[in-house]
Amino acid sequence: MRLVLLFITRYLFSKKRTNFINIITGISFLGVMIGTAALVVVLSVYNGLEDLTKTMYSRFNPDIRVVPEQGKWLEGKTLQLEVGRFAEVQQTSLVLEENAMLRYDQQEFIGVVKGVDDHFAQVTSIDSFLIRGEYRLWDAFGLPYAIPGSGVAYTLSISLQDFRNALEVYVPKRGKIDLMRPDAAFNKRVILPAGFFDVQPDINSRYTLVPLAFMQELLGLDSTKASAVELRLKPGVKAAAFGKALQAHLGDKYRVMDRDQQEDAIFRIFQTEKWWTYFFLLLIVLVAAMNLVGALSMLVIEKQRDIALLFSLGASRARIRTIFLGLGLFITLLGAGLGLGLGSAISWLQETYALLEFEGSENFLVSAYPVKLQISDLFVTLGGVLLIGVLCSIYPAIKAAAVFERLRFSKE
């Protein structure tokens, strides 16, 4: 093994008779280094975007959400008392949501109306993200108030100072519908807006919050019915582990979801895009590393004397093959190591100092590109690049072994 390392070091750093070999080797080394750095930076950007999206959704989504496995409604009061007994639970809230048509001063919109109880703000901290008005579900006289998302308010041109118009909410009546009287096919209630929230564009453009009792009356349900029980966990409690334990306790009648599972489709898209991008960037690294095949093949031709010398000294075919395979792997490892360091440094600088900002950042939720460096991505990147190094070194190593075979047969 010491002899193999000696020849690898000598072939890597010694001057070649053909200077073109040094140039090709340098190009392949730089290609591996830059490609590796690009992989680390791009994966870190995807991590940052995913983390930012989770943060935005966490303003509206609870730590844990319990919904019925079948049907739309559940006995909310009973389930709320049951899950509230767990020591890990800090607060619970009943919610009832349904698609509805909203009308305001001749403007119409189809969105999601979500009835929430008085504990909803303590579960999600939604009251901290109002951009206008105030978070209020009822006034002192028992009059209900709505809190539309900023996107809904913009679409309907809702004004908090306009007391002549109220927000009209329509939902289809359950049961048979008289087609001769389509106007009687809907339940209608009116409600005044109290403020607008702004948490995330998709939510802002779809959701309107109303009191739970208002929504139950609109849908013709009794006061025990809800579509979900939402939980806020105590600090330090891991939502994924608690969710599994709660699912085992509740059984198959309910489905327990943590924040990632509540927006499973979005985060699956993030992961799919991230790893497809990783795959395509790895192909670019492979193209850059193909120069290594040419450099090592030319080196085999140049070092035929050394191969003959090793043959005379009793070296085996496997050892010759190992020398050139190890040389290619060492070049790849050196380039990948420097690339990992460079990519990690760039990601850390962006994450810490926000060097690269969005143009017109005042219109974005964040001013700089979000980046989050993860150690697991470094190992995945290193593994992929080293695999490329091995693939690119196999052919020159086989070629060197073939030279060794010719020398052996000529001696015989």
Side-chain angles (χ1 to χ4, degrees):
M1 193 63 186
R2 187 178 298 177
L3 179 65
V4 171
L5 292 175
L6 176 65
F7 273 88
I8 289 175
T9 307
R10 180 172 178 272
Y11 288 165
L12 181 62
F13 296 107
S14 64
K15 186 176 180 180
K16 284 76 174 177
R17 291 195 299 271
T18 305
N19 193 46
F20 191 62
I21 299 177
N22 293 324
I23 296 174
I24 297 178
T25 304
I27 292 173
S28 61
F29 169 79
L30 287 174
V32 170
M33 183 183 73
I34 295 172
T36 303
L39 273 168
V40 173
V41 172
V42 170
L43 293 181
S44 298
V45 170
Y46 269 103
N47 295 335
L49 289 172
E50 183 176 355
D51 203 49
L52 175 63
T53 304
K54 287 182 179 180
T55 301
M56 290 189 297
Y57 274 103
S58 68
R59 301 170 181 176
F60 193 80
N61 292 342
D63 293 331
I64 295 291
R65 181 179 173 91
V66 183
V67 298
E69 188 62 47
Q70 295 181 344
K72 298 177 68 173
W73 323 122
L74 50 76
E75 289 295 327
K77 293 290 186 181
T78 303
L79 182 60
Q80 186 179 28
L81 289 173
E82 184 175 358
V83 299
R85 296 192 186 101
F86 283 81
E88 295 89 345
V89 177
Q90 180 172 310
Q91 187 58 266
T92 64
S93 173
L94 287 181
V95 300
L96 178 62
E97 61 182 68
E98 183 62 278
N99 293 326
M101 187 186 79
L102 305 175
R103 176 183 288 173
Y104 184 86
D105 192 21
Q106 306 306 314
Q107 302 290 329
E108 296 179 352
F109 175 76
I110 303 295
V112 180
V113 179
K114 183 170 184 174
V116 299
D117 63 13
D118 295 336
H119 303 298
F120 181 72
Q122 301 170 34
V123 170
T124 62
S125 302
I126 186 66
D127 54 340
S128 303
F129 300 98
L130 260 64
I131 55 173
R132 291 194 61 189
E134 60 180 323
Y135 184 83
R136 178 172 56 172
L137 297 174
W138 302 95
D139 67 5
F141 302 99
L143 187 67
Y145 281 85
I147 306 169
S150 58
V152 176
Y154 176 81
T155 302
L156 294 175
S157 301
I158 298 175
S159 173
L160 298 180
Q161 285 74 43
D162 183 5
F163 298 103
R164 296 173 303 172
N165 294 298
L167 186 62
E168 301 174 2
V169 185
Y170 297 83
V171 296
K173 289 182 178 179
R174 293 185 294 167
K176 294 182 179 180
I177 297 175
D178 186 358
L179 297 178
M180 301 301 294
R181 295 189 58 199
D183 58 319
F186 293 88
N187 289 329
K188 172 191 172 184
R189 296 292 184 275
V190 295
I191 189 169
L192 290 173
F196 311 141
F197 67 81
D198 183 4
V199 294
Q200 197 270 348
D202 179 55
I203 292 173
N204 299 339
S205 62
R206 290 194 298 130
Y207 277 88
T208 298
L209 302 181
V210 298
L212 177 62
F214 174 90
M215 196 64 187
Q216 289 168 335
E217 182 184 357
L218 182 65
L219 292 172
L221 301 174
D222 61 60
S223 60
T224 64
K225 290 292 191 291
S227 57
V229 178
E230 299 187 344
L231 314 179
R232 181 170 191 155
L233 303 180
K234 292 180 179 178
V237 177
K238 294 184 178 179
F242 175 75
K244 292 179 180 178
L246 184 59
Q247 181 69 75
H249 173 80
L250 295 177
D252 297 335
K253 291 176 59 179
Y254 302 100
R255 184 153 50 98
V256 180
M257 299 177 291
D258 59 27
R259 279 184 176 146
D260 288 355
Q261 293 168 329
Q262 291 169 50
E263 302 295 340
D264 185 54
I266 293 175
F267 296 125
R268 272 208 312 267
I269 290 173
F270 266 111
Q271 290 298 314
T272 302
E273 289 185 351
K274 174 181 176 179
W275 295 116
W276 272 110
T277 303
Y278 166 82
F279 174 73
F280 285 119
L281 284 176
L282 211 58
L283 288 180
I284 294 174
V285 176
L286 175 61
V287 172
M290 288 300 292
N291 292 303
L292 191 61
V293 179
L296 292 177
S297 298
M298 294 177 67
L299 188 64
V300 169
I301 296 172
E302 183 180 295
K303 300 300 181 181
Q304 291 192 41
R305 279 187 175 181
D306 290 6
I307 296 174
L309 177 62
L310 288 170
F311 170 71
S312 302
L313 293 174
S316 64
R317 176 181 177 179
R319 179 161 295 183
I320 300 297
R321 190 168 53 237
T322 302
I323 290 174
F324 287 91
L325 186 64
L327 178 59
L329 192 58
F330 191 81
I331 294 172
T332 306
L333 182 60
L334 190 60
L338 291 175
L340 289 176
L342 178 61
S344 299
I346 294 173
S347 300
W348 179 82
L349 288 171
Q350 177 65 17
E351 186 176 358
T352 307
Y353 299 106
L355 301 178
L356 188 60
E357 296 188 347
F358 292 110
E359 186 176 350
S361 57
E362 64 275 3
N363 298 320
F364 292 90
L365 295 171
V366 291
S367 59
Y369 283 92
V371 172
K372 183 179 181 181
L373 184 64
Q374 292 185 349
I375 300 299
S376 59
D377 289 341
L378 299 182
F379 284 107
V380 170
T381 300
L382 180 61
V385 174
L386 288 182
L387 177 62
I388 287 174
V390 171
L391 294 175
C392 291
S393 304
I394 289 176
Y395 174 74
I398 293 175
K399 191 173 181 180
V403 172
F404 180 86
E405 281 295 310
R406 286 200 303 270
L407 291 172
R408 186 167 68 85
F409 282 128
S410 62
K411 181 178 180 181
E412 292 175 354

